[in-house]
Structure formats: C-alpha cells, structure tokens
Amino acid sequence: MRFEFTAPLWEWAARAEWYFVTVPDEASADIREIPLPPRGFGSVRVRATVGGSTWTTSVFPDSSVGCYVLPVKKAVRVAEGLTEGGDVSVSLTMLDL
C-alpha cells in the first residue's frame, strides 16, 4: 500500500530539533484499518521518499490531531533543502503487510 501527499514540515514543541510531516486524514484512516502486528507507541513501519531521499522509518499516531506523523530526520531535511513550515511532497510505502 502506498500513499502520496504534500504537507508542511513542523517542529515538535515538546522536543526541539524533532521535525514531522502530518499524514493527511484520509491516508491516516486507511493506515489505521490495516491489520498489522502491534508495535511500540502504535507505530507503523514505512519506507518514505522525499525528493531523492528514501529511508525506512515508522509513522506514529498523534492523538492531538487524530492522524499519523512522519519523522523527517536532519540528513533528509538538509539534503532536500527542507525548512520548517515549507511544503514537503512525500511518498509512503507501508512495510510488514
């Protein structure tokens, strides 16, 4: 299963230097419906692609917005020239299906 979307990059207020992109409502709802083995913090393993950068990570449920969030590591932010508040085009491929 694969999702493509564009969303702004934001910094987590609780922990500076951690940046995320919020997975849209519809894609988050689809991810919640996938029967997957339980993982820590309700995470779901994914392969993410932003520009020319691809990495394996997890998306995490964010109860404050009711969607999953994708962490974007510093190496990707630097390589792709991403800045806080800027739109990020993301391709997510679900793993462990």
Side-chain angles (χ1 to χ4, degrees):
M1 183 175 282
R2 185 174 168 178
F3 302 96
E4 293 188 7
F5 60 91
T6 300
L9 181 71
W10 53 273
E11 185 176 18
W12 187 22
R15 193 147 187 190
E17 297 298 318
W18 285 53
Y19 288 84
F20 295 86
V21 172
T22 302
V23 178
D25 293 337
E26 187 176 323
S28 289
D30 289 345
I31 293 169
R32 274 192 295 280
E33 292 179 12
I34 299 169
L36 295 168
R39 298 185 50 87
F41 303 105
S43 65
V44 177
R45 287 178 23 89
V46 298
R47 179 172 302 110
T49 300
V50 172
S53 301
T54 299
W55 71 103
T56 301
T57 186
S58 295
V59 291
F60 299 87
D62 182 344
S63 61
S64 67
V65 294
C67 293
Y68 282 88
V69 295
L70 169 70
V72 181
K73 58 188 179 178
K74 184 176 183 177
V76 172
R77 296 192 318 267
V78 170
E80 302 303 328
L82 305 177
T83 57
E84 183 176 5
D87 282 342
V88 180
S89 295
V90 178
S91 175
L92 283 184
T93 302
M94 309 310 296
L95 302 177
D96 300 334
L97 295 180

